Amino acid sequence: MINRSIVAFVFVIVMMLALVVRAWYLQVVKHQDFQTRSNDNRISVQPIAPKRGLIFDRNGVLLAENRSIYSLEIIPEKAGDIDQVLERLLGAGFIEEKHQEKFLKDLRGQRRFKSITVKNRLTEKEVARFSVVRYQYPGVSVEARLVRYYPFGEVLVHALGYVGRINDRELARIDQANYKATRHIGKVGLEKHYEDLLHGTIGFRRVETDVQGRVIGEPLFEKPPIPGKNIRLSLDIRLQQIAAKAMGEERGSVIAIDPRNGEVLALVSNPGYDPNEFVTGISSASFRALMESKDRPMFNRALRGLYSPGSTIKPHMGWIGLEQKLVTTKTTVPDPGYWVIPNEEKRVYRDWKRGGHGEKVALLTAIVKSCDPYFYDLAYKMGIDTLSANMKKFGFGDYTGIDMGEEVPGIMPSREWKRSARKIPWFPGETVITGIGQGYWVATPLQLANAIGQLGMGSLRYQLHLVTATQSNGDWLRVPAKVASTQADFSNKDNLKAVQKAMHKVTQWGGTAFEAFREAPFTSGGKTGTVQLRAMGEEKYDESKIEKRFRDNAVYVGYAPFDSPEIAIAVVVENAGHGGSEAAPIARAVFDEYFKNQVADINLERKVAEGRN
C-alpha cells in the first residue's frame, strides 16, 4: 500500500515538473514565436490607395481630376435580412432591379462584415433623400469615394484616354503589391502611357482586429501613400474646344502643334465619347452601341487614322523638285486637263479641273491652283526612290514620337516596300499618282501637321509630345523637347522661299483657301487637298449622286504667322468634299482663337505688370 502511494506521489511530482518545464518552454523559449503568431491574428495590415496624379493644360486648367462620388453601401451583418432590406430600398425608389441583382451577385463569397456597394454615382438629391430616412435602414449607408473625373468629357477623350477597372490581363502584368488598394488603371491615351507616373505608391496602416476580422480602435501605425505625380500638357483647352466645335458633327481630326518645339496644342478626333462612363463601369448596351456605331467614336483618328494626304504634299514635292534640280521656278508644264506618261498614251491622268490650267504652268501656279499634271510630270521625272527617300525626311512613313503609345506610322510607299508588302514590282503609274499624294501613300493627321510645320519653319522638325512638365512635392520639372531623327536640309533658302511664297498665295486672292482666310488679321501659308475615295473614270464627279461615306475627304494643312510660324495645323474632314471650303475654315477658326488668346494673354501680363508698378 505504501509503495503504491510513493509511486503515485512520484508520478504526480514528475507530471507537475513536466507541466512547469512545458510552461517555461512555451512562455520563455517560444515567447517571441507565439507573440508573432498572436500579433498576426490580432493585427491586420490594410493597404491605402494613393491619390492619382492630376492632369492640367498649358494654362493650368484642370483636365483630369479626382472627384468624390457617393455610393449606397450595405454591411450585411448589420443589415439583417438582406432580401427584405433590398426590397424596401427598391420599393422606396433608392435602387433599381439591376442594382439588386448586381448586389446579390457581389455578395457571394464576401465577408458579411465588409461593406458592399449596391448603387454607384448617387446624385446630391438622392443622397439628401436617403439621409432623411437612414435611421430606418440599419447597416445601409452613403459612402464617399474618390474616382477619376474628366470635366471636358468627349472633347478630350482621344487625348487623355480614361481609366477603368483593372481586369485579369492587366492584373497579371502590373505590380500587384502596389495596386492592392487600387481598383482602376489607365486604359488608353495619356492615362495608360503615363500610368507609372500618375498612379503613385501604395501606403498601409496596421490595425488591431478581433477574431472575426473587425477593426478595433485607432490604427497602431500608418505609412501614408505617395500620391501620383501631376502632369502638365502642351494642350490648350480653349483651342481644343474651338477645334471640336468647328468640326461639328463631321468625322475627322484636327491637329495643331507648335512647330518650334513639337508641342501639341490641340488633338481632336471626331466623334468622341464620354470617358466618365467607363470609370465606374459602362453598361453593356452603351458599350455595344459605341462598338457598333458606323461613325467609330472609339477610333482615335488623330493617331491611327490613315488618310491619303492628297494635294497637301504638293509644296513638299515642289521643294524636292527644286532641290534635286529637276525643275526651276520658271520650268513650265502644259496642262490641257490631263497628262500621259511619255510613249504610253493609253493611260490618262486627269487634272481636277476640266480643261486644265493652261499651256504653261510654273511651280508657283501649280501649288496655288493645285495643278495635278505639273506634279504628275514632276513625280515621273523624280522616280519613286527619290520621292520616297526625301518625303521620309519630313516624317512620312514613320512615328512622330508622340507620347501616347498608340500611334501608327502610316505608309510612305517605295519600290522596296511594295516588293515586301505586296510581292509584286513597282509600276511607273504608281509613281505618278504618288506625286499628288494618293495611291498607297497614307499618313496620319499628326504626320501632316508635323510635315507642314517643318516646311513652314524651314528648320528642325521635333518629335511631337503632349507632356511638358511633371510635378512632385510642389516643384514642376520641365520635360525637354526632342529633335526628330530625320531632317530635311533647308540650306538653300531660295528653294525654300519659293515654296513658302506659293503656300502664302494659297490663302490670298485666287488661291484655293482664299475664301477661308479672307480678311484674316494674321498672315499664313497653307495647302488644300481634296482626296478622291472612289474612282470615277470618265464620269464627272457629282457629289449629290454619291453616298456620303464615299465622297471626297477634305484636307487642309497650314501655319501662321507666315514669316515666323508659331502654330501649324492639319485638318481632315471625312467625306466632306473640298479642302478649301470644308477643311480650311476649321483651320481658320483655330488660328483665330490662337491669336485672340495670344493678345488676351499679352494684355493680362501688361495689366499685372502695371499693377506691380
Side-chain angles (χ1 to χ4, degrees):
M1 187 68 180
I2 294 175
N3 290 336
R4 292 181 180 177
S5 298
I6 292 172
V7 171
F9 177 75
V10 171
F11 178 75
V12 170
I13 293 299
V14 170
M15 294 303 294
M16 290 182 65
L17 286 173
L19 289 173
V20 170
V21 171
R22 182 61 177 169
W24 173 81
Y25 174 78
L26 293 175
Q27 297 183 33
V28 178
V29 177
K30 302 292 289 181
H31 170 77
Q32 189 61 45
D33 182 45
F34 284 107
Q35 184 180 47
T36 301
R37 293 188 187 185
S38 176
N39 285 340
D40 288 343
N41 292 328
R42 181 176 62 89
I43 298 174
S44 174
V45 177
Q46 296 181 337
I48 307 174
K51 289 184 178 179
R52 193 170 182 84
L54 307 177
I55 302 177
F56 299 89
D57 88 333
R58 66 187 303 112
N59 299 309
V61 178
L62 192 56
L63 307 179
E65 60 181 297
N66 302 315
R67 177 174 290 190
S68 292
I69 66 165
Y70 297 98
S71 58
L72 193 65
E73 302 190 3
I74 300 176
I75 300 177
E77 183 183 67
K78 295 181 178 180
D81 188 333
I82 291 297
D83 292 332
Q84 185 180 23
V85 171
L86 291 173
E87 287 298 330
R88 289 178 61 203
L89 290 171
L90 183 64
F94 292 118
I95 64 172
E96 300 173 22
E97 287 186 4
K98 62 180 180 180
H99 301 126
Q100 183 181 24
E101 293 171 1
K102 185 176 184 303
F103 177 84
L104 291 173
K105 182 179 178 181
D106 294 341
L107 181 61
R108 301 189 193 108
Q110 295 288 335
R111 296 188 178 184
R112 295 186 63 82
F113 58 84
K114 292 285 187 179
S115 180
I116 304 173
T117 301
V118 63
K119 182 180 180 181
N120 263 318
R121 291 187 285 191
L122 299 180
T123 65
E124 291 185 2
K125 183 178 180 180
E126 289 173 326
V127 171
R129 196 162 69 88
F130 180 77
S131 298
V132 175
V133 295
R134 179 182 177 183
Y135 69 95
Q136 298 177 10
Y137 298 88
V140 184
S141 62
V142 173
E143 301 294 336
R145 298 182 186 276
L146 282 180
V147 297
R148 203 60 154 176
Y149 180 71
Y150 304 98
F152 295 96
E154 66 180 65
V155 171
L156 277 172
V157 64
H158 288 294
L160 300 184
Y162 61 85
V163 300
R165 291 188 179 276
I166 300 173
N167 58 37
D168 293 338
R169 185 178 55 191
E170 292 160 340
L171 193 61
R173 64 175 174 79
I174 63 176
D175 179 0
Q176 295 185 25
N178 198 34
Y179 280 79
K180 277 189 175 180
T182 306
R183 299 181 179 181
H184 297 83
I185 193 171
K187 295 289 186 176
V188 294
L190 286 170
E191 289 279 25
K192 179 179 180 180
H193 191 75
Y194 286 99
E195 174 65 25
D196 291 344
L197 281 180
L198 292 167
H199 177 261
T201 304
I202 195 172
F204 68 89
R205 64 170 66 92
R206 290 194 181 96
V207 295
E208 189 173 5
T209 60
D210 62 18
V211 293
Q212 292 182 319
R214 299 181 184 84
V215 176
I216 303 172
E218 296 297 320
L220 302 175
F221 174 80
E222 183 170 313
K223 179 183 178 182
I226 300 174
K229 292 183 178 180
N230 299 332
I231 61 177
R232 184 170 65 215
L233 307 184
S234 55
L235 286 177
D236 186 329
I237 187 57
R238 296 177 295 188
L239 281 184
Q240 183 82 8
Q241 289 176 309
I242 286 295
K245 182 179 180 181
M247 282 290 292
E249 299 299 318
E250 298 288 354
R251 299 182 307 278
S253 178
V254 181
I255 301 293
I257 69 169
D258 186 336
R260 299 170 297 182
N261 50 31
E263 293 180 358
V264 178
L265 305 175
L267 188 154
V268 173
S269 176
N270 204 52
Y273 56 96
D274 186 1
N276 294 301
E277 291 187 12
F278 286 81
V279 176
T280 53
I282 188 170
S283 69
S284 299
S286 296
F287 183 72
R288 192 183 308 112
L290 288 174
M291 294 298 293
E292 294 176 356
S293 172
K294 291 183 179 180
D295 291 333
R296 303 175 71 191
M298 297 188 71
F299 181 65
N300 193 330
R301 289 165 164 83
L303 277 73
R304 304 181 65 80
L306 295 176
Y307 304 93
S308 295
S311 297
T312 61
I313 51 80
K314 287 176 179 175
H316 301 80
M317 283 290 296
W319 178 81
I320 296 171
L322 293 172
E323 288 287 308
Q324 297 294 317
K325 300 185 181 344
L326 297 171
V327 295
T328 69
T329 55
K330 295 182 180 180
T331 300
T332 62
V333 172
D335 176 14
Y338 61 90
W339 184 88
V340 295
I341 296 177
N343 302 319
E344 293 187 22
E345 297 181 359
K346 291 182 180 180
R347 183 66 186 271
V348 176
Y349 299 88
R350 299 196 175 278
D351 189 10
W352 67 267
K353 181 180 179 182
R354 286 181 176 268
H357 291 88
E359 286 299 315
K360 295 183 177 181
V361 179
L363 178 62
L364 187 143
T365 301
I367 293 176
V368 174
K369 299 293 186 180
S370 203
C371 171
D372 289 332
Y374 184 96
F375 294 98
Y376 292 145
D377 187 73
L378 179 56
Y380 181 75
K381 292 176 181 176
M382 191 180 297
I384 189 59
D385 295 327
T386 299
L387 193 163
S388 180
N390 281 276
M391 283 297 178
K392 286 180 178 178
K393 295 177 181 179
F394 290 96
F396 291 110
D398 197 4
Y399 299 96
T400 65
I402 193 166
D403 47 345
M404 290 181 68
E406 301 164 27
E407 182 185 16
V408 296
I411 297 172
M412 183 65 248
S414 65
R415 202 179 304 275
E416 291 73 21
W417 169 85
K418 190 183 179 189
R419 188 180 298 115
S420 174
R422 303 298 175 95
K423 312 299 181 185
I424 52 177
W426 187 267
F427 299 106
E430 294 170 331
T431 302
V432 172
I433 59 174
T434 302
I436 61 167
Q438 301 209 54
Y440 296 116
W441 189 355
V442 287
T444 65
L446 286 171
Q447 291 172 334
L448 293 175
N450 210 11
I452 196 64
Q454 184 182 13
L455 192 59
M457 286 284 293
S459 61
L460 294 176
R461 179 170 56 88
Y462 287 84
Q463 290 186 15
L464 299 187
H465 60 282
L466 284 162
V467 173
T468 59
T470 61
Q471 186 184 43
S472 182
N473 299 321
D475 298 321
W476 284 100
L477 179 63
R478 184 78 182 174
V479 177
K482 296 179 181 179
V483 175
S485 58
T486 57
Q487 299 289 340
D489 181 2
F490 296 110
S491 55
N492 188 324
K493 299 302 179 185
D494 290 336
N495 290 343
L496 179 65
K497 288 180 179 179
V499 173
Q500 290 175 338
K501 178 182 178 181
M503 289 192 289
H504 178 56
K505 285 188 172 294
V506 167
T507 66
Q508 304 302 301
W509 173 258
T512 53
F514 169 67
E515 288 299 328
F517 287 90
R518 183 194 292 266
E519 299 179 356
F522 52 84
T523 57
S524 68
K527 185 68 187 78
T528 60
T530 303
V531 181
Q532 185 174 309
L533 301 183
R534 172 176 283 185
M536 300 300 294
E538 297 295 323
E539 183 183 352
K540 183 178 180 181
Y541 179 84
D542 185 349
E543 185 177 280
S544 64
K545 296 180 180 179
I546 300 175
E547 184 183 343
K548 170 74 172 175
R549 292 179 184 275
F550 294 108
R551 295 176 187 172
D552 296 347
N553 285 344
V555 190
Y556 183 80
V557 296
Y559 58 91
F562 174 72
D563 294 324
S564 182
E566 298 176 19
I567 180 173
I569 196 168
V571 179
V572 179
V573 189
E574 296 177 9
N575 316 121
H578 302 287
S581 60
E582 303 299 330
I586 295 174
R588 169 67 187 273
V590 174
F591 284 164
D592 283 346
E593 182 68 16
Y594 176 84
F595 290 109
K596 182 181 73 174
N597 290 343
Q598 193 178 62
V599 171
D601 292 340
I602 292 173
N603 290 338
L604 178 60
E605 290 176 5
R606 186 182 297 119
K607 289 181 180 179
V608 171
E610 290 173 354
R612 289 173 180 169
N613 296 331

